[in-house]
Amino acid sequence: MAEPGKIDPMHQFEVQPIFDGFTLFGQQISFTNSALWMFIVLGLLYVFMMGGMKRELVPGRWQIMVEGVVGFVDNIIATSIGPNGKKYTPWVFTLFMFILFSNLLGMMPFGIIPGIHPFTVTSQFTVTGLLAAISFSIVLVVGFWKHGFKFFSLFIPHGTPVVMIPLIFMVELLSFLVRPFSLALRLFVAMIAGHILIKVFANFVIQAIDAGGASWGIALLSIIFIAFVSALELLVCAIQAYVFALLTSLYINDAENLH
Amino acid sequence: MPQISQLLEVYGGQFFWLLIVIGIIYFGIARNMVPKISKTVDDRQKRITDDLAAAQGAQDRAEQIEIDYRASINNARADAVGNVNEAKAKAALKNEAAIKRADAAIAKKADEADAELKAAKTAALKEIEAVAAEAAQAIVATVSGAKVSAADAKKAVKAAF
C-alpha cells in the first residue's frame, strides 16, 4: 500500500488474499481478489450465454447477440483453420470470451462504489501466460501428433535454398518459440498500459484539485483525457481479445494444416 | 510492478483458480452451450433454405401446370380446327360427288334425248323421202304418163335432196 494521499497506479494490479486457502505442491492457494474477479467473469459469461439459450426460431435481441458472438468465433476458425478447425472452436471461444469479459469488466467504473476494487484479470502475467501456454501446448501436441517429425518442416518455408536451410530453420524455430511469450505479453501489456495511463491522469486530477486555483484547468483537461483514453481502452479490450483468439487459431492452423 | 514482485507467491493460486474457471467455461459453456446455439442458428438457416426451396418447388409446379394448361388448350384448339377442316373437306367431297352424279344423270338424259331426236329426225327424213318419192312417181305418171318405178323415183328424190 502506498502512503496515504498518494495514488499508486500499480496498486490496482496487486493480488490480495481474501481468505487463506490450502497448500498445494508447496504453494499457498488462497482465494484472492484475482480469483474472485475470475469467478465474476465466469458468472457474467454464464448469464450472457443463458440469455442466448432460448433457442427460438425468431431470435430476440439477446439471442441475436449471443448467436452473433458464437458466429464470430466460428468465423475466425473457419477462415483461419478451415473445416478441420471445428474441434478447436471450444478453446478459441473460451479464450475469446474469457479475455473479452475480463478486459471489459476491468474497464467498468465499479471503483466509484466504496469498498469495491475492480481487478483486471488479464492484467496479470500469470493469467495471460497460462492462457498462452495452453494455446501453445495445443499447437505442439496437435503438430507432433498429426505430423510427427515432419512438423519441423514448418520451420523451413517453401523455396528456401539448401544452403540457407540451417540458418532459416534456426530463425523460424526462434520465432516459433517466441510465440507464446508474444501472445501473453501483448495482452498483458495492452491491459496494463491503459489502466496505468488512466490512473496516472486520475492522480493528476486529485493533485490539481488539491493545489486549487488555476490548476482546475489541468484537472478538467485530465478528466477529458481520461474519458478519451477510456473509450480507446474499450476498443483495445475488444481488439486484444480478438487478436488473442485470432493468433491462437492461426498458430493452430500451422499445426493442423502443415503448409 | 506487482505482477513481477508477487509472481513467485501468487502464481500457484492464480494458475489454480484460472484453470478451474477456464475449465468450467471450456466444458460447461464452450463445449455444452455453444454447440446448441450453433445448432439453433444452423436449424434456422436450414429452415429458411428449406422454405425457400419449397416455395421454389411450388412456383415451378404452378408454372408447369400453366404450361400443361396452355398445351392442352392449344391441343384442343388444334383439334377443333382439324375437325372443322375435316368436316369441310368431307362436305366438299360429298358435294362434288353429288354434282358429278347429277352431271352424269343430266348428261345421260341429254344423250338419250339427243339420240331420240336423231332417230326421230332420221325417221322423219325417211318418211319425207318416201312421201316425196311417191309424190314424184305420181307427178311423173300424171305429167308424162310414163311409168316410173318406185326404185327410180326414190333414187331421184335422194339425188334431189
Side-chain angles (χ1 to χ4, degrees):
Chain A
M1 201 63 191
E3 58 257 47
K6 259 194 121 191
I7 296 176
D8 175 12
M10 302 312 267
H11 175 63
Q12 55 175 328
F13 302 118
E14 224 161 78
V15 177
Q16 288 153 341
I18 294 174
F19 48 82
D20 289 340
F22 49 93
T23 312
L24 190 75
F25 303 123
Q27 264 281 321
Q28 176 73 19
I29 311 285
S30 7
F31 193 80
T32 58
N33 55 347
S34 173
L36 173 69
W37 284 92
M38 285 179 202
F39 278 100
I40 292 174
V41 166
L42 172 63
L44 279 178
L45 182 54
Y46 181 74
V47 169
F48 175 73
M49 293 304 288
M50 273 321 276
M53 289 297 284
K54 280 184 229 135
R55 314 187 66 181
E56 280 163 10
L57 186 66
V58 180
R61 286 175 200 181
W62 198 315
Q63 195 180 336
I64 285 264
M65 271 202 298
V66 176
E67 282 172 3
V69 169
V70 171
F72 180 70
V73 174
D74 278 346
N75 212 20
I76 294 177
I77 297 283
T79 49
S80 46
I81 305 183
N84 290 339
K86 274 246 177 286
K87 49 185 171 293
Y88 307 107
T89 308
W91 174 242
V92 175
F93 183 85
T94 306
L95 277 179
F96 179 70
M97 291 311 269
F98 180 75
I99 294 170
L100 182 68
F101 273 61
S102 304
N103 291 354
L104 289 176
L105 203 61
M107 283 305 296
M108 294 297 129
F110 296 125
I112 59 170
I113 306 166
I116 293 184
H117 301 290
F119 184 87
T120 312
V121 180
T122 39
S123 67
Q124 297 294 309
F125 187 69
T126 40
V127 171
T128 60
L130 185 62
L131 294 177
I134 295 173
S135 288
F136 192 65
S137 310
I138 292 174
V139 171
L140 285 181
V141 168
V142 169
F144 283 109
W145 188 278
K146 277 196 72 145
H147 306 290
F149 282 108
K150 247 191 90 201
F151 184 52
F152 285 111
S153 70
L154 178 67
F155 308 130
I156 305 163
H158 278 302
T160 313
V162 180
V163 270
M164 295 290 284
I165 282 181
L167 182 67
I168 293 286
F169 184 86
M170 291 316 292
V171 171
E172 290 279 327
L173 181 65
L174 196 67
S175 82
F176 179 76
L177 292 177
V178 161
R179 278 176 182 184
F181 299 100
S182 70
L183 203 54
L185 281 170
R186 183 181 299 114
L187 174 60
F188 158 70
V189 167
M191 282 303 107
I192 209 173
H195 283 260
I196 291 176
L197 203 57
I198 290 172
K199 280 282 159 20
V200 166
F201 276 89
N203 200 4
F204 284 177
V205 175
I206 292 167
Q207 283 179 354
I209 290 172
D210 281 350
S215 303
W216 278 90
I218 295 174
L220 195 68
L221 217 64
S222 298
I223 285 196
I224 293 169
F225 191 76
I226 288 175
F228 278 112
V229 172
S230 295
L232 183 69
E233 278 303 298
L234 286 176
L235 185 69
V236 169
C237 286
I239 288 173
Q240 286 302 323
Y242 173 62
V243 164
F244 203 109
L246 180 69
L247 284 178
T248 296
S249 48
L250 285 177
Y251 294 160
I252 291 175
N253 176 47
D254 280 345
E256 179 72 27
N257 313 309
L258 199 59
H259 57 153
Chain B
M1 199 184 255
Q3 286 94 328
I4 292 166
S5 59
Q6 286 189 316
L7 186 62
L8 286 179
E9 21 173 332
V10 300
Y11 78 89
Q14 290 282 71
F15 287 177
F16 179 80
W17 295 114
L18 180 63
L19 281 176
I20 289 179
V21 170
I22 285 290
I24 294 172
I25 294 177
Y26 183 80
F27 290 103
I29 294 175
R31 294 199 70 138
N32 188 27
M33 290 160 88
V34 170
K36 285 178 190 156
I37 291 166
S38 292
K39 197 170 168 296
T40 311
V41 176
D42 291 347
D43 284 354
R44 182 181 310 132
Q45 200 55 49
K46 191 172 170 297
R47 170 115 185 235
I48 290 170
T49 317
D50 287 356
D51 283 359
L52 282 179
Q56 186 64 48
Q59 191 179 341
D60 288 351
R61 220 164 37 241
E63 271 165 16
Q64 188 58 47
I65 287 169
E66 200 190 334
I67 288 168
D68 288 354
Y69 165 75
R70 285 247 168 90
S72 72
I73 286 252
N74 283 346
N75 278 349
R77 197 168 283 155
D79 275 1
V81 169
N83 282 348
V84 167
N85 283 344
E86 209 176 312
K88 257 186 202 162
K90 239 182 219 166
L93 275 177
K94 220 185 220 170
N95 277 352
E96 226 166 86
I99 287 168
K100 246 182 206 161
R101 251 197 329 272
D103 273 355
I106 290 165
K108 202 176 161 201
K109 237 175 216 172
D111 284 353
E112 270 170 15
D114 212 22
E116 238 163 68
L117 201 61
K118 259 187 194 152
K121 200 177 168 186
T122 323
L125 273 178
K126 257 186 193 150
E127 235 162 80
I128 289 169
E129 255 173 47
V131 171
E134 263 168 45
Q137 212 175 344
I139 291 165
V140 168
T142 332
V143 171
S144 63
K147 271 260 191 189
V148 180
S149 68
D152 283 346
K154 248 184 197 168
K155 222 184 258 168
V157 167
K158 250 191 189 151
F161 271 121

